């Protein structure tokens, strides 16, 4: 089961932190104009989002640098009051929870409203195949719960934001 099943319920766009900080994976530094355009596009995506899902692996028991740089680079107003779900994973049994907890704290500092539910996927290489299909029913049910919670908060906050503009 892949995310395509929910595509009718959600309008999604993908923002890869590696695209915002391409120097983390390559020694070729893109032009400053190219970097600026990537940041402007990233900010626009996050500004227009009603909710966010942060997907992170665990890197040396931490959030990956590229994700932290993306969080720190964009203005706090881009994240303010947005409900945010966290999905974390690792090849081991810890399921990336350390990075997931760090993401929640980091997002809270940016004034995101992080959900109480975290989707943690242990041994991701066994849980999700190379086509992105998950056959683990427990993970699928956890994803349904996470999406239902995110949808509820997104709808509630979108309606409230229409009546009362954010204080930033």
């Amino acid at each position: 089961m892949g995310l395509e099943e929910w595509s009718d319920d959600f309008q999604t766009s993908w923002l890869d932190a590696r695209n915002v900080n391409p120097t983390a994976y390559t020694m070729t530094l893109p032009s400053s104009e190219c970097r600026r355009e990537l940041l402007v596009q990233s900010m626009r995506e996050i500004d227009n989002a009603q909710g966010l899902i942060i997907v992170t692996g665990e890197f040396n028991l931490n959030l990956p640098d590229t994700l932290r740089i993306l969080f720190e680079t964009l203005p706090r107003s881009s994240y303010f009051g947005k409900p945010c779900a966290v999905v974390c994973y690792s090849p081991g049994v810890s399921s990336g929870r350390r990075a997931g907890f760090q993401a929640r704290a980091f997002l809270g500092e940016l004034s995101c409203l992080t959900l109480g539910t975290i989707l943690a996927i242990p041994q991701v290489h066994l849980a999700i195949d190379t086509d992105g299909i998950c056959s683990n029913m427990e993970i699928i049910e956890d994803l349904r719960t996470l999406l239902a919670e995110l949808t509820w908060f997104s709808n509630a906050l979108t309606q409230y934001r229409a009546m009362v503009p954010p204080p930033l």
Side-chain angles (χ1 to χ4, degrees), residues 1-3 5-6 9-10 87 115 117 119 134 136-152:
M1 176 176 291
L3 286 178
E5 285 193 28
W6 290 287
D9 298 331
F10 300 98
V87 177
L115 306 182
T117 303
L119 175 57
C134 179
N136 182 320
M137 290 309 292
E138 186 176 332
I139 292 172
I140 292 168
E141 283 305 312
D142 289 348
L143 179 60
R144 284 190 176 116
T145 300
L146 185 82
L147 292 175
E149 194 174 335
L150 181 63
T151 301
W152 189 90

Side-chain angles (χ1 to χ4, degrees), residues 29-106:
L29 188 63
S31 70
S32 60
E33 182 61 31
C34 178
R35 287 193 311 267
R36 190 179 82 65
E37 182 55 38
L38 287 169
L39 286 172
V40 168
Q41 178 184 352
S42 300
M43 191 169 80
R44 194 176 307 123
E45 290 283 338
I46 292 174
D47 281 344
N48 292 332
Q50 291 179 351
L52 305 170
I53 300 175
I54 304 300
V55 180
T56 182
E58 191 172 82
F59 182 73
N60 290 338
L61 310 180
N62 287 298
L63 284 172
D65 287 341
T66 52
L67 194 54
R68 284 198 323 261
I69 289 168
L70 173 62
F71 291 155
E72 293 171 344
T73 302
L74 301 179
R76 181 174 170 247
S77 60
S78 295
Y79 302 100
F80 186 84
K82 304 260 171 124
C84 187
V86 175
V87 177
C88 53
Y89 62 89
S90 76
V93 293
S94 74
S95 37
R97 286 186 184 275
R98 289 172 286 229
F101 293 142
Q102 289 173 14
R104 286 178 71 190
F106 210 116

